[in-house]
Amino acid sequence: MPREKGTPGGSEIQCATLEGAGTLGATIVWGDQGRRIGISAAHVLPDKGASVFQPSRITHPADSEEIGIVQGVCGGTPYEKRSDYFLDKSNRSDGQYDFAFFEAYQGETSTVIAGGVYPGPPGHVGEPPPLQLRDPRRGDKVKWMGKKTGRLLSGEITDIEFWALVQRGRLFVGTEKLFKIRPDGVLPQPGDSGSALVTTTDNKIVGVLSGKVTDLRCAIGSRIPRDEMDLDSTTYVDEATAEARLEEFLKHESWCVVL
């Protein structure tokens, strides 16, 4: 797997602190300061300050190179076991997003998203302008490209409010601002996490792929914070909310989301 200089979205990336790999969603211009960043899921890039490699240095050691450093990871209380989340009555808090970003070294990423997700405007020469963000809406048709599946996938957003425990390495974080996607036939596969979810109507990024919930036969996306100020925001979870979630969780234990 020769590494492509100017790595497009949809390519394999790996955090130095994990053995598994995920997907570079896209390169965007983000926040009030207009920072150029690479985006993915927090469980793909869980550790601030860690190096980002492309492709995986585990499976492709001869081709892998460091392309940047993780600069921000969304917060949330981490738990070693899923049950610990429900038992914690004093400090239980949800993270808002399954989102992380890194600053790539000069020339190491491209605003293109592979697989036909975003080649750029028709007739455009050179690197295309980066896609813009907007909030997801129920009924949005989205497309994405994950490194494991290796081809264009699509689906429809059916619910814009979903909670789940998201696994980050060996830890679990309650995560609030997730949404469901009914896939057009094919569910994403392990390693597709972090893929940018791009609308088919107006070419906007509305989230990153977080995982799938097999018993509901849907993919899960995470919203994207508007700026770095949102990264550490968490929400305290009261006992009544936790009890209601536990009741549902016991019915659908695959509400632990990970790819």
Side-chain angles (χ1 to χ4, degrees):
M1 180 186 289
R3 194 176 77 81
E4 182 177 352
K5 188 79 169 178
T7 304
S11 299
E12 180 180 83
I13 56 172
Q14 180 196 21
C15 186
T17 55
L18 296 180
E19 291 188 5
T23 299
L24 167 62
T27 296
I28 64 170
V29 175
W30 187 60
D32 293 338
Q33 297 180 359
R35 300 172 72 181
R36 180 185 166 106
I37 62 169
I39 63 173
S40 191
H43 71 267
V44 173
L45 303 174
D47 297 308
K48 187 175 179 179
S51 297
V52 180
F53 290 89
Q54 199 284 314
S56 166
R57 59 180 181 167
I58 302 297
T59 55
H60 305 282
D63 297 309
S64 182
E65 292 185 19
E66 185 178 353
I67 64 171
I69 301 291
V70 180
Q71 295 292 326
V73 183
C74 282
T77 306
Y79 296 94
E80 292 186 0
K81 296 182 293 185
R82 288 173 287 182
S83 58
D84 290 343
Y85 174 91
F86 299 105
L87 295 173
D88 184 2
K89 299 180 185 296
S90 61
N91 191 45
R92 180 175 44 226
S93 61
D94 285 342
Q96 299 294 295
Y97 313 88
D98 182 17
F99 172 83
F101 75 92
F102 69 97
E103 292 190 0
Y105 300 138
Q106 184 70 31
E108 290 294 350
T109 65
S110 168
T111 55
V112 169
I113 304 177
V117 176
Y118 179 59
H124 186 83
V125 178
E127 184 175 79
L131 289 179
Q132 302 298 305
L133 307 179
R134 74 161 168 82
D135 290 332
R137 302 168 188 156
R138 188 176 285 104
D140 274 337
K141 293 284 290 184
V142 293
K143 55 188 175 179
W144 66 91
M145 167 76 175
K147 71 93 182 175
K148 177 65 174 181
T149 307
R151 63 185 177 90
L152 182 71
L153 296 181
S154 61
E156 180 179 337
I157 296 176
T158 58
D159 188 345
I160 58 173
E161 294 184 6
F162 185 68
W163 170 90
L165 282 169
V166 176
Q167 188 172 354
R168 299 187 188 180
R170 293 184 175 87
L171 303 174
F172 299 89
V173 177
T175 307
E176 222 179 35
K177 294 189 176 180
L178 306 175
F179 54 91
K180 299 179 190 175
I181 306 162
R182 183 177 63 236
D184 296 330
V186 179
L187 280 165
Q189 300 300 309
D192 290 344
S193 283
S195 305
L197 300 167
V198 178
T199 59
T200 60
T201 52
D202 57 359
N203 260 0
K204 295 292 195 298
I205 298 177
V206 295
V208 294
L209 186 70
S210 185
K212 62 181 177 181
V213 185
T214 52
D215 62 334
L216 297 179
R217 292 176 293 186
C218 63
I220 302 298
S222 168
R223 294 177 185 243
I224 295 173
R226 287 296 173 179
D227 55 44
E228 199 166 358
M229 296 293 289
D230 285 343
L231 285 179
D232 292 326
S233 61
T234 59
T235 301
Y236 173 74
V237 181
D238 59 50
E239 191 60 22
T241 300
E243 287 178 359
R245 288 176 175 172
L246 178 58
E247 184 177 346
E248 290 300 312
F249 185 82
L250 294 175
K251 296 176 187 175
H252 310 281
E253 219 172 294
S254 60
W255 280 16
C256 169
V257 175
V258 66
L259 274 181

